[in-house]
Amino acid sequence: MSPSETTQRPMSACSLEYEPTIPTRFMVGTEKGVIISCNRKGKSPSEKMATRYMAHLGPVLAIQRNAAYVKNFLTIGDWTARIWSEDCKESSIIWTCYHRDQLIDGGWSPTRVSVFFTARSDGTLDVWDILQQQKQACLGIKVSDESLSCLRVHDQGRLVAVGNVKGTTNLVQLSENLSTSSKVDRTLLTAMFERENKREKILEARNREIRLKMKTKSTQVIGVESVCHLDNLQPFAVNIAKDPGVRTTEDEFFNTIAKGEDKESIKE
């Protein structure tokens, strides 16, 4: 589906991302799992909604850019959290496993660049540090017996406010290890993003090459089938020509025509 087709098929928006450092651009998450990157300076609808990402199976519940790496953004939807790069449009570069409970909200730590948070429907707040491990959260806190509905991180990174469906807000205080970046964190995270970005670009190029080969092969197969069909008809025609009954009928036909021509010439 192209950007023009996206404008022709309206989809309800369920999340919005706006980064003040990029005032002309914002991102919208839809109920069908599509994220649309919008540009306020665009003149036509296709320019205003230039890029789309097939992010999740269900509604995109949260989108947030990394404060230090604005090209990379976090999305929350269905049962996973995914980290995307603007340069890779076909797939996310990092993702969590599928959880048993639905993820409701998420966000980056503003002070420790490799840490993000997710809120689950079972009332658990998970803290992830992708430099430490990516298969599971570094810390899981049972905040409420009810389903969580949203979370917000303080600008200093030490406090996280978590709300649930009953209207209760809980304030969670984090240790310095989860709220303060070390000197090598930015270097390591930059290397990780570049490595994963390069890997996804290679996979995208390979997938495009495979699709092109399959398309070319299918076209060739159709052409070969047509030629084979004609080749199969030729032996059939040869066999008919060699049949004695066919030859006799042809001779009688031509003799009848010849006799008719002779009679016409005699009358003249």
Side-chain angles (χ1 to χ4, degrees), residues 1-266:
M1 186 168 57
S2 63
S4 60
E5 292 175 337
T6 303
T7 59
Q8 296 174 3
R9 299 180 181 180
M11 293 180 286
S12 299
C14 51
S15 58
L16 177 68
E17 185 281 332
Y18 176 75
E19 174 60 40
T21 58
I22 316 176
T24 60
R25 296 169 58 189
F26 61 95
M27 305 183 78
V28 178
T30 68
E31 62 178 355
K32 294 185 178 180
V34 180
I35 295 176
I36 303 174
S37 179
C38 304
N39 188 349
R40 294 169 56 189
K41 287 188 175 181
K43 296 181 180 180
S44 63
S46 60
E47 292 178 354
K48 291 180 179 179
M49 295 182 286
T51 309
R52 68 179 185 90
Y53 305 85
M54 298 299 297
H56 294 278
L57 302 175
V60 181
L61 301 177
I63 313 172
Q64 187 180 22
R65 292 183 184 271
N66 190 300
Y69 303 89
V70 292
K71 279 191 173 183
N72 298 97
F73 54 94
L74 172 72
T75 65
I76 303 294
D78 40 62
W79 294 267
T80 61
R82 295 178 177 271
I83 299 174
W84 298 76
S85 171
E86 287 186 344
D87 298 330
C88 300
K89 300 176 177 60
E90 295 184 5
S91 176
S92 55
I93 60 174
I94 300 173
W95 56 89
T96 67
C97 61
Y98 280 87
H99 293 73
R100 183 181 62 182
D101 301 290
Q102 186 179 12
L103 299 186
I104 305 300
D105 198 4
W108 290 100
S109 169
T111 54
R112 187 173 175 87
V113 292
S114 61
V115 169
F116 67 90
F117 307 90
T118 57
R120 302 203 315 238
S121 60
D122 65 344
T124 302
L125 173 68
D126 289 328
V127 184
W128 299 77
D129 189 343
I130 56 178
L131 289 179
Q132 300 297 327
Q133 56 183 356
Q134 300 176 14
K135 292 185 178 180
Q136 60 183 5
C138 297
L139 177 65
I141 306 171
K142 183 69 174 179
V143 178
S144 172
D145 294 332
E146 307 294 336
S147 173
L148 301 181
S149 57
C150 61
L151 67 86
R152 291 295 181 271
V153 187
H154 191 266
D155 292 340
Q156 296 180 358
R158 291 292 302 273
L159 300 175
V160 181
V162 186
N164 64 16
V165 294
K166 294 292 186 179
T168 304
T169 301
N170 296 277
L171 199 60
V172 180
Q173 184 174 3
L174 304 174
S175 64
E176 291 186 2
N177 292 333
L178 295 174
S179 59
T180 305
S181 293
S182 63
K183 295 181 180 180
V184 297
D185 281 352
R186 286 179 178 267
T187 303
L188 294 175
L189 191 60
T190 300
M192 174 183 286
F193 282 158
E194 289 179 352
R195 182 182 69 249
E196 297 300 325
N197 195 9
K198 183 178 180 181
R199 179 179 63 85
E200 286 300 325
K201 284 184 177 180
I202 293 174
L203 292 176
E204 287 181 4
R206 179 58 179 165
N207 288 334
R208 285 194 295 268
E209 182 181 351
I210 292 174
R211 288 195 295 267
L212 181 60
K213 286 183 178 180
M214 292 179 64
K215 184 177 180 180
T216 305
K217 186 176 180 180
S218 62
T219 305
Q220 292 176 350
V221 168
I222 294 173
V224 170
E225 288 179 351
S226 301
V227 173
C228 291
H229 181 66
L230 293 176
D231 292 340
N232 291 333
L233 291 177
Q234 289 177 357
F236 180 71
V238 172
N239 292 332
I240 291 176
K242 292 181 179 180
D243 189 275
V246 174
R247 285 187 175 183
T248 303
T249 305
E250 287 181 351
D251 293 340
E252 292 178 355
F253 173 75
F254 288 119
N255 290 334
T256 302
I257 293 176
K259 290 179 180 179
E261 291 178 351
D262 293 339
K263 290 180 179 180
E264 290 180 357
S265 60
I266 292 172

